[in-house]
Amino acid sequence: MVREVTADNAWRHLQAFQRIADRNNGIRASGTNGHLESAAYVEGRLRAAGYRTTRQPFTHADFDFLASSGRVVAPSARTLHPLVARFSANTPAGGLTARLAVVPTGTDATPGCEASDYAGADYRGAIALIAAGGCTNTVKQRTAAEAGAAAALINTNNPNPDMILRTRLTAADVRIPVASIGRGEAEALAADAARGPVTLTVDLRGRARTVTTFNVIAETPTGRADNVVMLGAHLDGVTEGPGINDNGSSSAMELETALQLARHFKQVRNKVRFAWWGAEEHGDLGSGAYVAALTEREKADLALYLNFDMIGSPNYARMVYDGDDSDHEGAGPGPEGSAQIEKVLTDFHGSRGLPTVGRDFDGRSDYGPFIAAGIPAGGETSGSNLIKTEQWARLFGGRAGQSLDWCYHQACDDLRNVNRTIFGQLGAGMAWATGRFALSTGGVVPDDPAERARQRAAAKHGLARPAADTE
């Protein structure tokens, strides 16, 4: 499998995703024609290889962006570039004009999260400028609203001063209009406010709607149906760009892995199921819908889940999901068997002289619903907007202090953004793990589904991770 699943062949699928985005307003987001065409491409290739494909439909709340603009009115006029949050409250048509009030940060690790952060200043009717981090942006805007703020601008706080990452709010708890802005603009606004009063106008409006979308599922016709090995990658992108690294890279490599596995149907001992998730960018909704629909028996029959999300990042780290969280501070371990999945992948890369680092299970991808259900999970990623450390730069090269993917959720996430070296290396890991587990899950999880069910019930992990609110 490792020799058969090549980066060159998978690259052709990535090129197809790019062409699909190009003819669909540059996007492949859930609920758009770009996503529909991407799914049709995947399904067509799978069916030609002998798979039967199914679509699992589900609905979810979405948000049409109607207005997202801003400007400094005084002391000197200039244009701002706010990105309205998904499910934000609306300003009046034409915008809201108000004074700027900067929420102090100092050494506070939770800026704008607590009422005390707003003590000593008047935020009534103001547009609050809030630093990132410490709590969800939903909490930040609620706390700002309780202090009297009329709107909030939240600093993306990325080393790239122009990068703006859209935030997603919990609709039921939205109080005021909210937008994210880049670090450069946030710092300039804070400097202006330090010199004297600043007046802004922001026009932030959108409209909630319901979208019907789907997951694409395919599985081998051979292998044990009570010892299923599952792979997943989200097929949808964001509305800001074509989503070629995020997550066309993993979707393309998963497709090539499935196509090459089709040549070995007769050798497959454990059924292998492939998923291309919808609406991951809305909070892992496709994988969540899938797991929610499983019966207890179907969960017991599912031996393990492998997740792949962004495997071609230009400033990459070679990361394997951290199944036991023993080597660094993180969000916690995965269910029993997750550490063993991690070892299978790290041992493979190690055998090729390629070091890896752990990646926390922190709720930022489609493994979340599986580990919450007690299903062992693992997989690979090359990184999103995480910042490359000096240690990682020594291990992998690249630029310390910068995002692992500096085009994350941006219009520049196109073919030119994908690093073919890490794309091929993590693709080889995907192929290796697929072939290994298609033959045996021994040494990782019990072969007997009844024993797995007992093990999972005894563990009672409760490992649900909240989805990140930066999209």
Side-chain angles (χ1 to χ4, degrees):
M1 282 287 291
V2 173
R3 289 190 296 270
E4 295 166 347
V5 178
T6 68
D8 287 345
N9 284 342
W11 191 264
R12 296 187 182 102
H13 308 314
L14 263 185
Q15 290 174 316
F17 292 149
Q18 181 69 67
R19 289 192 297 270
I20 288 168
D22 289 344
R23 60 177 176 261
N24 286 283
N25 300 315
I27 63 173
R28 300 185 308 104
S30 178
T32 68
N33 285 336
H35 177 252
L36 288 170
E37 288 191 28
S38 297
Y41 175 82
V42 169
E43 291 165 328
R45 296 303 301 269
L46 290 169
R47 287 194 292 265
Y51 288 92
R52 178 184 175 186
T53 67
T54 59
R55 291 187 177 188
Q56 180 190 31
F58 61 95
T59 60
H60 66 87
D62 205 349
F63 196 72
D64 288 331
F65 305 111
L66 303 179
S68 191
S69 65
R71 66 184 186 275
V72 178
V73 177
S76 58
R78 68 175 182 273
T79 300
L80 298 174
H81 302 87
L83 202 60
V84 63
R86 195 177 299 275
F87 305 117
S88 170
N90 289 332
T91 63
L96 165 72
T97 299
R99 61 186 173 85
L100 178 69
V102 180
V103 179
T105 55
T107 59
D108 189 357
T110 60
C113 298
E114 301 170 0
S116 58
D117 295 334
Y118 296 84
D122 183 9
Y123 292 88
R124 290 173 296 177
I127 298 172
L129 177 63
I130 310 173
C135 61
T136 68
N137 291 330
T138 299
V139 170
K140 287 180 185 290
Q141 63 84 39
R142 183 180 68 221
T143 309
E146 289 170 350
L153 299 177
I154 299 176
N155 181 1
T156 295
N157 198 30
N158 189 275
N160 177 353
D162 298 322
M163 178 180 277
I164 309 172
L165 298 176
R166 193 184 301 279
T167 190
R168 179 179 58 246
L169 305 175
T170 302
D173 202 17
V174 169
R175 312 288 179 85
I176 55 177
V178 176
S180 48
I181 59 172
R183 178 177 61 85
E185 289 192 345
E187 291 176 348
L189 287 172
D192 287 345
R195 291 188 290 266
V198 177
T199 303
L200 307 180
T201 295
V202 293
D203 191 1
L204 309 174
R205 288 177 289 121
R207 178 178 57 229
R209 64 186 178 109
T210 300
V211 170
T212 297
T213 188
F214 56 90
N215 301 317
V216 174
I217 309 292
E219 63 183 24
T220 58
T222 53
R224 286 177 53 184
D226 65 348
N227 203 43
V228 178
V229 174
M230 190 166 190
L231 282 74
H234 73 87
L235 186 58
D236 66 312
V238 294
T239 53
E240 287 71 51
I244 299 303
N245 184 38
D246 184 16
N247 188 34
S249 59
S250 304
S251 293
M253 192 62 75
E254 184 183 0
L255 175 57
E256 186 60 24
T257 300
L259 297 181
Q260 296 304 326
L261 185 64
R263 302 167 58 186
H264 304 283
F265 279 160
K266 291 183 179 179
Q267 287 77 47
V268 169
R269 297 175 185 171
N270 298 316
K271 188 176 290 293
V272 181
R273 184 173 300 151
F274 298 91
W276 287 265
W277 306 119
E280 186 271 354
E281 299 291 4
H282 291 72
D284 309 329
L285 300 184
S287 53
Y290 177 83
V291 173
L294 294 174
T295 66
E296 291 305 312
R297 176 56 189 269
E298 288 168 336
K299 290 177 186 176
D301 289 344
L302 191 52
L304 57 88
Y305 172 69
L306 301 174
N307 191 75
F308 301 89
D309 195 350
M310 305 178 64
I311 62 169
S313 305
N315 195 33
Y316 67 86
R318 193 178 302 109
M319 293 190 283
V320 174
Y321 288 118
D322 193 358
D324 64 4
D325 192 36
S326 62
D327 60 347
H328 66 297
E329 181 180 354
E336 181 66 30
S338 301
Q340 291 84 347
I341 297 171
E342 179 188 7
K343 188 174 188 303
V344 166
L345 287 164
T346 56
D347 284 355
F348 169 75
H349 291 298
S351 71
R352 296 185 148 202
L354 300 175
T356 58
V357 292
R359 176 72 176 102
D360 298 344
F361 283 133
D362 63 356
R364 290 193 64 176
S365 197
D366 288 301
Y367 54 74
F370 289 88
I371 62 175
I375 297 166
E380 300 172 324
T381 177
S382 56
S384 56
N385 62 322
L386 294 177
I387 306 305
K388 175 165 274 189
T389 65
E390 293 285 352
Q391 178 190 9
W392 289 0
R394 289 191 293 270
L395 281 174
F396 310 119
R399 296 168 59 188
Q402 296 294 317
S403 298
L404 299 178
D405 181 357
W406 36 62
C407 284
Y408 177 65
H409 288 193
Q410 309 292 301
C412 58
D413 185 16
D414 55 24
L415 277 175
R416 294 167 296 182
N417 188 47
V418 177
N419 182 295
R420 293 184 75 149
T421 297
I422 193 64
F423 180 61
Q425 290 172 352
L426 294 184
M430 181 191 299
W432 170 260
T434 301
R436 193 272 197 213
F437 293 131
L439 294 177
S440 173
T441 59
V444 176
V445 296
D447 282 340
D448 178 23
E451 175 59 27
R452 288 200 297 269
R454 286 192 292 271
Q455 184 183 79
R456 293 170 189 176
K460 296 182 180 178
H461 283 279
L463 288 169
R465 309 280 189 235
D469 65 351
T470 295
E471 296 192 346

